[in-house]
Amino acid sequence: MKKTLIAEFTAREGAEDEVARLILDYALKVREEEGNLAFDVYTKAADPRAYWIFEVYRDEDAFKTHLNAPYGAPFNAVLAPLIEEDASVLTFLDPLAARP
């Protein structure tokens, strides 16, 4: 079963350009992962400092591989002081099954 989630965070005022650069560079790496099916970066139209990243992985194992990628921890360490939250807020999603 696919692993789908949204990661959310808010760039601190003044850190917008650095956060954008970091997440776009990170996205290029994640999209190259064998088990990654989507890594789409968005900002809210009403608040361009608010980021939503839509992520889809082939399955749970692909997601675990993503979490253990060597560039993940360094990315999060650099991102943490640039965002308002302690870390990205993850919301895991399940597909809605068709109803009979």
Side-chain angles (χ1 to χ4, degrees):
M1 183 170 164
K2 291 179 186 173
K3 187 76 166 186
T4 305
L5 65 136
I6 294 173
E8 300 176 62
F9 58 83
T10 307
R12 292 185 185 277
E13 284 193 43
E16 296 95 324
D17 291 343
E18 181 68 6
V19 169
R21 184 189 66 74
L22 285 169
I23 192 64
L24 290 174
D25 288 346
Y26 183 65
L28 292 175
K29 293 174 184 171
V30 175
R31 289 176 185 145
E32 291 179 358
E33 294 174 10
E34 181 181 334
N36 178 262
L37 303 177
F39 193 91
D40 300 328
V41 180
Y42 297 89
T43 58
K44 287 184 182 179
D47 183 2
R49 292 188 308 117
Y51 282 79
W52 284 19
I53 296 95
F54 178 73
E55 304 179 45
V56 182
Y57 299 89
R58 181 185 59 236
D59 54 24
E60 182 70 28
D61 288 340
F63 180 64
K64 287 179 182 177
T65 297
H66 163 71
L67 292 177
N68 292 315
Y71 42 82
F75 165 78
N76 286 314
V78 173
L79 182 68
L82 301 174
I83 63 174
E84 293 180 355
E85 300 80 6
D86 291 335
S88 296
V89 177
L90 305 182
T91 302
F92 293 92
L93 305 172
D94 290 327
L96 181 63
R99 295 175 190 227

